[in-house]
Amino acid sequence: QSPGSKRKRPRKSISSKKAKKEEELTSLQKSVCERSFLVFQGDTDKIARAINAPPHLVEAFVAEKGIKLREPSFVQCKKNGLDAKKKKGAAITSMKNYNPSWLKRVQDAEIHPLFIPCDHDGPCNEDNCSCVKNAFFCTKHCAWGEKSRNFFRGCACKGNQCRTKSCSCFAAKRECDPDLCRTCGACTDPANQPATTQMCRNDNIGMRRHCHLLLAKSSIEDAGWGVYTKHALKKGDFVHEYVGEVISQEEAERRGRIYDKVNRSYLFNLTSDYVVDASRKGNKTKFANHSSKPNCCTRMVNVNGDTRIGLFAKEDIEPQSELFFDYRYDVGIDNDLIVKPGKTVDWMKNPKMANKISKKYV
């Protein structure tokens, strides 16, 4: 070899490595494959297209794990009480089955971050599960699903228990899920209308079972518009969902300074990351005025993995009555996720200042 010439190194064969990789699915494909098998009812060709994998590898993985379609199960109620299957289901959905420290973390959480289903290799624990760390229950969207000890198992209610804390879904601030709650009949009545035949009354936001609201001038002098109920409401009845534009906390701080100047507020904390702003986009609930003694209250409800804001009757309300709720504008938040001090603005001291520019900003 002549001086100064470069010696050519032999190239490593990468065909063998590629062949090994192609012989099995990736960890992500494996975690999705079992759920996809149920979704596509065992059609391996559709599963392969969905997870972008060769069909023969999907078939090999299904055969290796022994994945099979579940037989449909039905729960029958007897006149003299619940049968053995239903009693067993009630035991499965009991709060005693959850890790006590994890359950307390969920119940004590003041505000949550955005929910992202966990995806990890080992069983859920405090080290690897993002749901446990962020005070969430694992759901059917998570990698381990119902195999996780942190998996929320729904309720086994009878009668109208889904409106009380005896219902595990209601106590956990969640709407009943028809995939999990097999006995209460959630989501069986048609959407966009009140439930009449089903026992469950805890599916209102997802099924859009809101009451009839009217818009008119508020009974508070110089407060602008207000929202009224057309029909009578009982304590605990679902009024409507508070909706709007979902923006970041940073953008909410910027807009909030502007809204404070003109004595107007449509901001509502959704998670520690996002805020709902109903000023530009929203429904009639944006016109519900503030009161320190309201007849309605808001509740954060988990609906199919999403955090949503529900407005509920706090007491029995007569028809044609104006609806109020406490904006909690003067209540601060101080925890590991977010720190927001409370504020007292002019419209809270004097309702006549609503939608007017404060003198200190002139």
Side-chain angles (χ1 to χ4, degrees):
Q1 184 177 0
S2 59
S5 62
K6 295 182 179 179
R7 181 179 294 177
K8 295 182 179 180
R9 295 181 180 178
R11 294 182 178 177
K12 294 181 180 180
S13 175
I14 59 174
S15 59
S16 59
K17 293 183 179 180
K18 288 184 177 180
K20 288 182 180 180
K21 288 183 179 179
E22 291 177 354
E23 288 177 0
E24 61 179 10
L25 301 175
T26 64
S27 59
L28 179 60
Q29 289 172 333
K30 289 179 181 178
S31 64
V32 177
C33 186
E34 183 172 356
R35 179 68 60 183
S36 301
F37 189 85
L38 301 176
V39 172
F40 294 111
Q41 294 294 299
D43 192 328
T44 54
D45 291 332
K46 291 183 179 179
I47 298 171
R49 288 197 296 271
I51 65 175
N52 193 24
H56 70 277
L57 293 183
V58 175
E59 293 174 359
F61 178 76
V62 170
E64 179 185 354
K65 297 294 183 179
I67 304 174
K68 297 180 181 179
L69 293 175
R70 300 174 185 172
E71 293 292 332
S73 58
F74 300 94
V75 179
Q76 295 181 349
C77 295
K78 294 183 178 181
K79 293 183 179 179
N80 297 328
L82 303 177
D83 59 5
K85 288 185 178 180
K86 190 167 182 181
K87 288 182 181 179
K88 184 178 179 182
I92 291 174
T93 58
S94 173
M95 287 293 186
K96 296 180 180 179
N97 294 316
Y98 299 103
N99 184 307
S101 62
W102 298 356
L103 181 60
K104 188 175 186 305
R105 190 180 301 174
V106 173
Q107 293 174 338
D108 294 345
E110 185 180 9
I111 192 169
H112 293 274
L114 180 67
F115 174 71
I116 299 177
C118 63
D119 181 17
H120 45 82
D121 293 331
C124 295
N125 56 55
E126 294 185 2
D127 297 325
N128 63 4
C129 181
S130 60
C131 295
V132 176
K133 293 178 182 178
N134 295 324
F136 285 113
F137 287 107
C138 288
T139 68
K140 55 189 176 183
H141 310 97
C142 296
W144 281 76
E146 61 184 10
K147 294 181 181 178
S148 171
R149 188 183 178 187
N150 192 45
F151 178 73
F152 188 77
R153 301 171 182 86
C155 70
C157 294
K158 57 181 179 179
N160 292 323
Q161 289 182 338
C162 290
R163 293 185 59 173
T164 65
K165 288 189 177 181
S166 61
C167 170
S168 55
C169 297
F170 186 90
K173 301 176 183 178
R174 305 173 67 91
E175 280 204 344
C176 290
D177 187 337
D179 293 338
L180 305 175
C181 310
R182 302 296 181 89
T183 59
C184 67
C187 304
T188 53
D189 280 0
N192 296 308
Q193 61 187 46
T196 54
T197 59
Q198 69 180 40
M199 293 186 296
C200 180
R201 294 296 186 270
N202 189 32
D203 63 349
N204 298 301
I205 297 178
M207 299 298 285
R208 302 182 296 278
R209 305 191 195 280
H210 55 81
C211 69
H212 192 158
L213 299 179
L214 304 173
L215 191 63
K217 286 187 177 181
S218 175
S219 58
I220 301 176
E221 186 179 358
D222 295 331
W225 295 98
V227 65
Y228 296 76
T229 175
K230 183 176 182 180
H231 306 290
L233 297 174
K234 293 183 179 179
K235 182 179 179 180
D237 281 354
F238 174 66
V239 178
H240 215 305
E241 180 184 5
Y242 191 90
V243 298
E245 183 182 3
V246 179
I247 59 177
S248 65
Q249 287 283 356
E250 293 75 13
E251 176 65 14
E253 287 294 326
R254 188 189 70 81
R255 295 187 185 184
R257 287 192 290 268
I258 299 173
Y259 295 158
D260 289 345
K261 292 180 181 180
V262 295
N263 284 287
R264 184 183 306 165
S265 179
Y266 297 112
L267 299 175
F268 202 114
N269 285 318
L270 184 65
T271 66
S272 60
D273 305 301
Y274 295 100
V275 176
V276 171
D277 183 8
S279 61
R280 296 179 177 87
K281 300 177 182 179
N283 54 22
K284 293 178 181 178
T285 56
K286 65 184 284 186
F287 297 102
N289 289 308
H290 165 80
S291 174
S292 57
K293 296 180 180 179
N295 53 10
C296 294
C297 62
T298 55
R299 192 185 307 153
M300 310 299 291
V301 185
N302 188 291
V303 183
N304 201 26
D306 295 324
T307 302
R308 296 166 74 171
I309 306 166
L311 185 65
F312 296 85
K314 192 176 180 180
E315 57 190 33
D316 292 346
I317 303 174
E318 295 294 328
Q320 314 295 325
S321 299
E322 186 173 2
L323 304 180
F324 301 92
F325 70 93
D326 187 357
Y327 288 7
R328 295 176 60 85
Y329 209 64
D330 55 343
V331 179
I333 302 175
D334 188 358
N335 53 42
D336 296 337
L337 296 173
I338 185 174
V339 177
K340 296 186 75 173
K343 291 183 179 180
T344 302
V345 290
D346 290 344
W347 58 261
M348 297 179 67
K349 301 175 185 177
N350 183 8
K352 293 183 179 181
M353 288 298 299
N355 300 318
K356 296 181 181 179
I357 299 177
S358 298
K359 293 182 179 179
K360 60 182 178 180
Y361 296 112
V362 177

